[in-house]
Amino acid sequence: FSIKYTLTRHTKVVNILAVNVNGTLLLTGGNQPISHLTCTDSWIGNDSRIVVWSFVSGEMMQEIFTPAAGYISAIT
């Protein structure tokens, strides 16, 4: 067993992980406090996000902001 990639987009706890059916994508859900928002963020609230990662390359494929959702506790 060895570490292949370090996924660094989340700066706080990752609450949930999900893998797609063919095992090529990883989805992570987290909840960062408002102190991690930057001046480019156009909404106020928690920085709740779902991030889609490639298992092949380890790169972030997509980031989905869900400020109205608050704490991400499930991905289906």
Side-chain angles (χ1 to χ4, degrees):
F1 178 77
S2 65
I3 297 174
K4 189 170 183 178
Y5 304 113
T6 301
L7 309 176
T8 59
R9 184 61 184 121
H10 293 285
T11 58
K12 296 291 181 186
V13 175
V14 171
N15 302 322
I16 193 79
L17 301 171
V19 178
N20 71 333
V21 174
N22 61 5
T24 58
L25 299 174
L26 169 69
L27 282 75
T28 59
N31 184 32
Q32 283 87 347
I34 196 167
S35 63
H36 289 285
L37 296 177
T38 67
C39 60
T40 59
D41 293 314
S42 60
W43 41 267
I44 302 298
N46 283 340
D47 183 12
S48 300
R49 68 184 75 207
I50 297 169
V51 182
V52 181
W53 306 91
S54 167
F55 262 143
V56 176
S57 67
E59 70 181 314
M60 183 178 73
M61 305 297 291
Q62 185 175 5
E63 186 171 33
I64 304 162
F65 290 99
T66 59
Y71 179 87
I72 305 296
S73 60
I75 300 173
T76 58

